[in-house]
Amino acid sequence: MNILDGRKTAHSFEAKIRAEVTALKEKHGREPKLVVVLVGDNPASMAYVKSKEKASKRVGINGVTMRFPSTITEAELLGTVLKLNEDETVDGMIVQLPLPTHINSDNILNHIAPHKDVDGLSFINAGKLANRQYGLLPATPKGVMMLLDHYKVQYEGKDAVVVGASNLVGSPMAKLLLHRGATITVCHSKTKDLASHTKRADILVVATGVVNLIRGEMVKKGAIVVDVGINRVDGKIVGDVNYDEVKEKAALITPVPGGVGPMTINALMFNVLEAFKNRHQ
Ligand code: NAD
């Protein structure tokens, strides 16, 4: 089998998190608390928030969702974030993206106290990552590294190609691979001749939101392929990689669903633990 099984890996890691939560609760008298702030009723956001609630419950983290209508003003949302920063019982917080267009997301994210920023998206945590001083890391790239490490993937001297350059996934992903000794190429929507880059990849990570972007002929035989994409097509979830074609060439490949998604949630739970432990040191 050449599958990077995120579901199975996340499941095995959850047992570790659960045990650690139990031990921390005994020591400190309460479990770690995660607050997710959800604005509006975007179906994808509601589904992500639901899976965070479920995962928190499974591992014993106190997961709370605060819901606001999409008419909330930026000042009101900022006020909520500042209150959560001050709340001693809250260890980690997430403001679920995307936010309505009348709200400046960067402004909101940058007011989350860095030690509670379990999505790792504030400029402080992003800046730390850029300087190889890790604070809280963005959950998706962290989860991808946890999955690759679990399958004992070697990075040093490997050619790693990341397709997608967002602040959320592609850009931090490239930094993490670079820091582990891979040689990095980052491709994006303006890249000319995408295939000429992807064909050279020993490790290929794709995070674009473009269905079927990566076809079999664009991948080197024996490559390790990570598909971060989550796209809804005819009621089904598919990635950015044509799985049937690419699995014939890849040494290891993530399925969608069941690959990066569960690892993202898992990495988030680890971040909440880390935030809790940092506050109690
Ligand atoms: P984004 O829209 O912010 O960024 C997309 C990136 O892809 C950009 O850098 C863009 O330049 C690049 N791109 C777009 N079209 C391209 C093309 N034709 N060729 C090359 N590059 C192209 O998206 P994002 O937030 O980074 O998310 C990317 C995908 O990953 C989405 O499908 C999203 O749903 C998914 N996602 C999954 C998880 C998970 O847990 N599995 C987490 C976050 C995001």
Side-chain angles (χ1 to χ4, degrees), residues 48 140 163-170 187-191 194 206-210 213 227-231 240 260-262 264-265:
Y48 295 141
T140 300
V163 186
S166 69
N167 290 342
L168 186 66
V169 188
C187 302
H188 45 77
S189 58
K190 305 279 189 302
T191 298
L194 180 63
V206 189
T208 63
V210 181
L213 181 64
D227 188 354
V228 180
I230 298 181
N231 310 291
D240 298 347
V260 176
T264 295
I265 300 279

Side-chain angles (χ1 to χ4, degrees), residues 200-250:
R200 287 190 300 101
D202 300 310
I203 301 169
L204 177 62
V205 182
V206 189
T208 63
V210 181
V211 179
N212 256 332
L213 181 64
I214 305 297
R215 310 297 303 246
E217 70 269 12
M218 298 167 75
V219 176
K220 179 161 97 176
K221 191 146 183 56
I224 292 162
V225 180
V226 177
D227 188 354
V228 180
I230 298 181
N231 310 291
R232 283 168 180 79
V233 177
D234 300 333
K236 270 179 68 184
I237 303 281
V238 297
D240 298 347
V241 173
N242 185 312
Y243 183 80
D244 290 334
E245 289 176 16
V246 174
K247 81 173 183 336
E248 301 303 326
K249 309 251 316 258

Side-chain angles (χ1 to χ4, degrees), residues 144-165:
V144 170
M145 295 307 283
M146 284 163 42
L147 182 63
L148 295 178
D149 284 342
H150 184 68
Y151 281 85
K152 303 199 175 356
V153 168
Q154 302 297 308
Y155 308 94
E156 280 186 22
K158 297 285 166 60
D159 283 318
V161 176
V162 179
V163 186

